[in-house]
Amino acid sequence: MTKLMPYSKAAKVLLLFMLMFQTKAYALALSDIMLNSFINQPVNAKIELYSATPAELDSLNVVLSKTRKEEPDQVASSQLKVELVRIDNGNSYLLITTKDNMREPVLNFLVEVSWTSGRIQREYSLLLNLPH
């Protein structure tokens, strides 16, 4: 029968110290994209920001870029515009738009969001259908 070694005094102090200073960790997250437009219309899409604090929104920096698999004939990501829409009593969101009509049925782009305490990178693909 093996005898369990008692915890050392230092381990107990360390455990107590770790339990005293626990903080809640909520990370900013990006939702799936919600597309509100069709082919031959300007792009209008929304990406909700989950668990974003006012401080994170204040320091938010968003960059749209092309993906590695973007075809040369696709709309350049530089034609996409992004706007942060802040909602006090709900989830703020990123509004993705274009000025011109979208003639290609598929659009792939990368969203890079950074703030003072973190960074997220996510790739999105839009499939633009004909209106019903």
Side-chain angles (χ1 to χ4, degrees), residues 4 24 36 55 58 68 71 74 76 91 103 106 114 119 122 130:
L4 294 176
K24 294 181 181 176
N36 302 313
D58 289 340
R68 288 187 196 121
E71 297 297 323
Q74 281 193 335
N91 285 336
R103 304 229 183 267
V106 177
S114 58
R119 183 175 158 253
R122 184 165 177 188
L130 294 171

Side-chain angles (χ1 to χ4, degrees), residues 31-101:
S31 73
D32 290 336
I33 195 161
M34 292 169 272
L35 182 62
N36 302 313
S37 55
F38 298 101
I39 197 163
N40 294 323
Q41 293 179 341
V43 170
N44 180 329
K46 177 178 161 181
I47 302 171
E48 287 191 44
L49 300 171
Y50 296 129
S51 302
T53 65
E56 289 171 336
L57 292 175
D58 289 340
S59 66
L60 207 66
N61 182 37
V62 182
V63 175
L64 301 178
S65 59
K66 64 181 175 177
T67 63
R68 288 187 196 121
K69 60 185 173 187
E70 186 172 311
E71 297 297 323
D73 59 339
Q74 281 193 335
V75 170
S77 55
S78 62
Q79 292 178 316
L80 294 172
K81 304 295 179 213
V82 63
E83 175 187 351
L84 172 62
V85 179
R86 295 177 79 139
I87 299 175
D88 292 333
N89 297 330
N91 285 336
S92 298
Y93 61 91
L94 300 175
L95 182 63
I96 311 292
T97 58
T98 59
K99 181 179 175 183
D100 299 323
N101 291 346

